[in-house]
Amino acid sequence: MLVIAEVSYLLERKAGVPIELRFLKDLSTGTYEAMPVEQVDWIRIAELTSTYRDLPLGAVDASVVALAERLKVTQIATLDRRHFSVVRPRHVDGFELLP
């Protein structure tokens, strides 16, 4: 869920309010599913943030990795190839980055 604020901000900044509003509408209609950060994820977020502190990874990106690990997701849609190409998740050698 942490990533929603970041995506919303970036959409507004880079694409404008109408695109941000479309994203928010899509969230409200179920086009995208917002997954909550669970208690166990916070420990992993802290571990990842510490491990990749020189990157720096940051809590939002670390939350994406923690959630992907928990759900066994291997693909991540991101424009942040620099961070996600370096991180090594527990469940797979590396993520397939989309687009």
Side-chain angles (χ1 to χ4, degrees):
M1 281 264 245
L2 297 176
V3 76
I4 290 174
E6 187 168 300
V7 169
S8 183
Y9 167 77
L10 288 172
L11 286 173
E12 184 273 328
R13 189 168 151 236
K14 301 284 187 179
V17 173
I19 301 299
E20 178 190 19
L21 291 172
R22 191 163 105 199
F23 170 68
L24 295 172
K25 181 181 179 205
D26 286 346
L27 279 170
S28 73
T29 61
T31 301
Y32 303 111
E33 184 178 357
M35 301 297 295
V37 176
E38 295 185 359
Q39 192 67 34
V40 67
D41 297 330
W42 291 114
I43 295 166
R44 185 63 177 143
I45 290 167
E47 289 172 355
L48 288 162
T49 303
S50 176
T51 299
Y52 295 98
R53 72 179 60 173
D54 293 335
L55 199 50
L57 186 61
V60 173
D61 289 349
S63 75
V64 171
V65 175
L67 181 64
E69 289 176 342
R70 180 164 48 87
L71 299 176
K72 307 292 187 230
V73 171
T74 60
Q75 297 178 323
I76 293 179
T78 183
L79 299 176
D80 187 355
R81 300 183 95 68
R82 184 174 76 98
H83 287 154
F84 289 106
S85 64
V86 172
V87 173
R88 296 293 167 241
R90 290 179 174 164
H91 67 298
V92 67
D93 290 336
F95 291 114
E96 179 184 349
L97 304 179
L98 307 172

